[in-house]
Amino acid sequence: MTDEIELPAEVTLLWGLRETVRRGRKPSLTIADITRAAVEVADAEGLAAVSMSRVAAQLGNATMALYRYVKSKDELFLLMSDAATGGPPDLPDDVDWRTGLTLWARGLLKVTRQHPWAVQLPISGPPLGPNSLRWFECALRALGETGLGEEEKVGVVMGLLTFVHGELRLSIDLSRSYTENPEAFGRQYGMALARVVDPQRFPALSNVIAAGVFEAEVPYDEEVEGEFSLGLYLDGVAAFIERRTTGQG
Amino acid sequence: MTDEIELPAEVTLLWGLRETVRRGRKPSLTIADITRAAVEVADAEGLAAVSMSRVAAQLGNATMALYRYVKSKDELFLLMSDAATGGPPDLPDDVDWRTGLTLWARGLLKVTRQHPWAVQLPISGPPLGPNSLRWFECALRALGETGLGEEEKVGVVMGLLTFVHGELRLSIDLSRSYTENPEAFGRQYGMALARVVDPQRFPALSNVIAAGVFEAEVPYDEEVEGEFSLGLYLDGVAAFIERRTTGQG
DNA sequence: CTCCGATGCGTATGGTCTACGCTTTTAGGC
DNA sequence: GCCTAAAAGCGTAGACCATACGCATCGGAG
């Protein structure tokens, strides 16, 4: 007996470990096909357009055919979530941790922005897919020579991931509402705020508005977005590594 | 003529500025009623249970009655989103910025964790609701005496908000999957990882697993969750303020 | 008291996920 | 080479959902 405990359903799905059988009709689809089709639909028409029938149509099959490959729509979402980021970049082996993590974060931001729906997926549970884990591996490797303990590395990477997730959530929201209605953004946002924000009750916010922070001529720049706070976080990491390696830990 | 440009629909909704009329039948509901009912349903049965008919039933009304108050379900989501956080805590006036922002972040984490569905709301666009803006005001105020410029303050607060959003997204996912199936978590996650992670392809990750990081006996602690990375970020902010005020900016 | 206009809401339409069972196809065993 | 079990393909149907439309009902303004 192989004495292997049963793997969670998500894992067997994401890693293609569902038992492949011999007898019976040959499958005409693969999980990869279905995932790709779903991603295409989401890219082209948004997450709301991803219905089982729409994805099936994309593949030229009937709706119910998909359920032979995927137990529920949630499983499809899980697959999409791992597919959205693809694999991590190849960092040079001798890259210093800060450059490595900067490239990592920028890279993850960039690829995810190409599939903005990924942020809206209703996923629960820790990352288990092959791509997620490759990203994780990549970041851990960048911290390889810092002298941090394993748990500390995980903490740093989780923090960075946290940051990227939050940044995506906020910036994708903004960019969507910007691309949906460019004129109504920026200036008009500032004006709406100004109309609604009572200087008595919101003195600090009023100062900000008065300083024209929300009326920037440059409306939205993905490249720059988040660089500032990313830098702050990495400064904190640097200080931590310093503290940790000068023995004051 | 009052020369007032028209406010965006979201603003009039969130701030209760929809024109109140005189003639005709009296409304039996208020937007606040509807929002409260929706929040109750979401708290009790999850976001998926929030349907127009379910919310109407909660109020003892028919489904279509809600549409006299709210143009679409998305508008209801918008209201829920602003309601989820409530107002910010009252920070002492003389609190130093770091204590203030720490309390702020912890507070925002705490209240949002009491309405975990808030993270899943499909919202796009910048925050405009009264509660969101009060939180923003609160954080800006904590940075009042740091000597930072208005734009820099906004940057710092946005970064912190980014961090909180990301933290919520990750930790709520974890806690949900934990509470759904406590036994399957922690140890089993580690074991599943170990089974699937090839040491050849995932050396760094394998090290982490081997070090037992994922088998912690303490399975999940909301209070502590995120403190580590929050500290790192605030260290970065501290360094920035230092740099900025010692004139090296 | 009358009447305009807003609210309450029943009905209907077109969409969703997915359980079930039937038909078609295929590979293994004989 | 045939038979059969097992799997894929998928049509149908049930239970929801958001919401457009139209009508009855109610209440303040005149």
Side-chain angles (χ1 to χ4, degrees):
Chain A
M1 58 165 112
T2 49
D3 191 17
E4 305 199 330
I5 59 164
E6 225 168 301
L7 285 170
E10 322 154 9
V11 177
T12 64
L13 174 70
L14 286 164
W15 290 79
L17 302 177
R18 303 270 224 237
E19 69 266 50
T20 169
V21 244
R22 28 220 127 262
R23 283 267 269 275
R25 189 168 175 170
K26 244 192 262 178
S28 66
L29 298 174
T30 65
I31 287 190
D33 291 332
I34 295 175
T35 308
R36 193 174 331 112
V39 167
E40 282 170 16
V41 173
D43 283 346
E45 304 166 40
L47 188 59
V50 177
S51 68
M52 297 306 269
S53 54
R54 180 72 186 76
V55 173
Q58 188 81 2
L59 292 162
N61 283 62
T63 307
M64 293 310 292
L66 301 190
Y67 284 93
R68 294 283 175 196
Y69 300 86
V70 149
K71 277 209 269 284
S72 67
K73 195 181 180 183
D74 275 342
E75 285 203 346
L76 180 56
F77 281 155
L78 217 56
L79 290 167
M80 292 175 70
S81 143
D82 198 62
T85 57
D90 269 329
L91 299 182
D93 272 350
D94 57 345
V95 75
D96 70 297
W97 70 264
R98 181 154 188 154
T99 312
L101 289 190
T102 304
L103 290 174
W104 186 91
R106 283 190 197 150
L108 189 51
L109 284 170
K110 185 168 181 182
V111 296
T112 312
R113 279 201 245 263
Q114 283 157 18
H115 304 291
W117 42 263
V119 190
Q120 306 240 7
L121 287 172
I123 304 287
S124 75
L128 276 171
N131 282 332
S132 308
L133 293 186
R134 283 162 65 202
W135 276 96
F136 206 75
E137 167 77 18
C138 177
L140 286 173
R141 218 177 289 186
L143 285 168
E145 303 303 322
T146 49
L148 294 183
E150 299 302 321
E151 188 163 1
E152 290 165 338
K153 287 182 197 169
V154 171
V156 168
V157 174
M158 292 284 282
L160 194 55
L161 189 61
T162 288
F163 172 80
V164 170
H165 272 234
E167 183 61 34
L168 283 169
R169 161 122 198 166
L170 292 179
S171 74
I172 286 178
D173 284 356
L174 293 186
S175 85
R176 178 168 34 209
S177 99
Y178 173 71
T179 55
E180 273 172 2
N181 193 352
E183 299 163 12
F185 203 69
R187 186 167 205 82
Q188 192 154 3
Y189 176 58
M191 292 178 74
L193 273 189
R195 286 277 302 284
V196 126
V197 166
D198 171 13
Q200 220 72 33
R201 292 181 52 211
F202 297 91
L205 191 50
S206 296
N207 278 343
V208 169
I209 296 171
V213 172
F214 296 121
E215 297 171 18
E217 288 302 310
V218 203
Y220 179 69
D221 182 349
E222 283 189 348
E223 290 296 321
V224 172
E225 189 68 38
E227 281 296 309
F228 176 65
S229 351
L230 173 61
L232 291 186
Y233 177 73
L234 292 180
D235 286 347
V237 175
F240 179 68
I241 293 178
E242 182 89 5
R243 238 181 299 144
R244 203 70 187 70
T245 51
T246 45
Q248 193 211 327
Chain B
M1 55 164 117
T2 48
D3 192 17
E4 305 198 331
I5 60 164
E6 226 168 299
L7 285 171
E10 322 155 7
V11 176
T12 63
L13 173 71
L14 286 163
W15 289 81
L17 302 178
R18 304 270 223 238
E19 69 266 53
T20 170
V21 243
R22 31 216 129 265
R23 284 269 270 275
R25 190 167 171 171
K26 245 192 257 178
S28 66
L29 297 174
T30 65
I31 287 190
D33 291 332
I34 295 175
T35 308
R36 193 176 329 113
V39 167
E40 283 170 16
V41 173
D43 282 346
E45 303 167 41
L47 188 59
V50 177
S51 69
M52 298 304 271
S53 55
R54 180 72 187 75
V55 173
Q58 189 80 3
L59 291 161
N61 283 62
T63 306
M64 294 309 292
L66 301 190
Y67 284 93
R68 293 284 175 197
Y69 301 85
V70 149
K71 275 210 270 284
S72 68
K73 195 182 180 182
D74 274 341
E75 284 203 349
L76 180 56
F77 281 155
L78 217 57
L79 290 167
M80 292 175 71
S81 144
D82 199 62
T85 58
D90 268 328
L91 300 182
D93 272 350
D94 57 346
V95 76
D96 71 297
W97 70 264
R98 181 156 188 152
T99 312
L101 289 191
T102 304
L103 290 174
W104 187 91
R106 284 189 194 150
L108 189 51
L109 283 170
K110 184 167 182 182
V111 296
T112 313
R113 279 202 245 262
Q114 285 158 15
H115 306 292
W117 41 264
V119 190
Q120 306 240 9
L121 288 172
I123 304 287
S124 75
L128 275 169
N131 282 332
S132 308
L133 293 186
R134 283 163 65 202
W135 276 96
F136 206 75
E137 168 77 18
C138 177
L140 287 173
R141 218 177 289 187
L143 286 168
E145 303 302 323
T146 50
L148 295 182
E150 299 304 321
E151 189 163 0
E152 290 164 338
K153 288 182 196 167
V154 170
V156 169
V157 174
M158 291 283 282
L160 194 56
L161 189 61
T162 288
F163 173 81
V164 170
H165 272 233
E167 183 62 35
L168 283 169
R169 161 123 199 168
L170 292 178
S171 75
I172 285 178
D173 283 357
L174 292 185
S175 85
R176 176 167 39 208
S177 99
Y178 174 72
T179 53
E180 272 172 4
N181 193 354
E183 298 165 13
F185 204 71
R187 188 168 204 82
Q188 192 155 3
Y189 176 58
M191 293 179 72
L193 272 190
R195 285 275 303 283
V196 125
V197 166
D198 171 14
Q200 221 72 33
R201 291 181 54 211
F202 297 91
L205 191 48
S206 296
N207 277 344
V208 168
I209 297 171
V213 173
F214 296 122
E215 298 171 17
E217 289 302 310
V218 202
Y220 179 70
D221 183 349
E222 283 189 348
E223 291 295 321
V224 172
E225 190 68 38
E227 281 296 310
F228 176 65
S229 351
L230 173 62
L232 292 185
Y233 177 74
L234 292 180
D235 286 346
V237 174
F240 179 69
I241 292 178
E242 182 88 4
R243 238 181 299 142
R244 203 71 187 71
T245 51
T246 45
Q248 192 212 327

